[in-house]
Amino acid sequence: MIQIRPVSDLRNKFPDIEKAVGGGEPVFLTKNGYGAMVVLSLEAYSKLTDGVEVALDEADRYASENEKRYTHEEVFSNLRRRVNG
């Protein structure tokens, strides 16, 4: 279930937020009625970013060894094909 809370809950109800993110789900925080930030557990954040640094290093290595450059559209159309099957 999506949890949306005011940012003041970080100060006033931290244990509740800590418990909510401990279950692996994010908590969306609002300020003055608008989205301000998302709180995640370290485990959920790690899963979200797992492999990003390795992929960036691989891309840097590839770029240094190859002359070919891709346009924005080429990159994202290839990603869309992979995601959509």
Side-chain angles (χ1 to χ4, degrees), residues 2-11 17 21 26-40:
I2 295 177
Q3 291 214 30
I4 302 172
R5 296 172 166 243
V7 74
S8 60
D9 278 5
L10 274 177
R11 177 184 52 234
I17 291 177
V21 299
V27 174
F28 298 87
L29 300 175
T30 62
K31 183 175 182 179
N32 298 324
Y34 295 95
M37 64 186 76
V38 177
V39 179
L40 294 169

Side-chain angles (χ1 to χ4, degrees), residues 12 14 16 18 24 39 46 48-49 53 58 63 65 71 74-75 78:
N12 301 327
F14 181 79
D16 294 344
E18 185 178 32
V39 179
S46 293
L48 186 65
T49 61
E53 287 293 328
E58 184 178 320
E65 297 170 355
T71 66
E74 288 172 321
V75 170
N78 187 20

Side-chain angles (χ1 to χ4, degrees), residues 34-85:
Y34 295 95
M37 64 186 76
V38 177
V39 179
L40 294 169
S41 68
L42 285 176
E43 182 180 333
Y45 179 77
S46 293
K47 285 180 183 177
L48 186 65
T49 61
D50 188 35
V52 170
E53 287 293 328
V54 172
L56 289 172
D57 289 343
E58 184 178 320
D60 285 342
R61 192 171 31 261
Y62 180 86
S64 70
E65 297 170 355
N66 295 280
E67 296 288 322
K68 173 76 173 152
R69 297 296 181 259
Y70 296 94
T71 66
H72 174 272
E73 187 54 41
E74 288 172 321
V75 170
F76 283 95
S77 65
N78 187 20
L79 287 173
R80 284 186 200 101
R81 278 195 304 273
R82 286 183 181 190
V83 170
N84 296 327

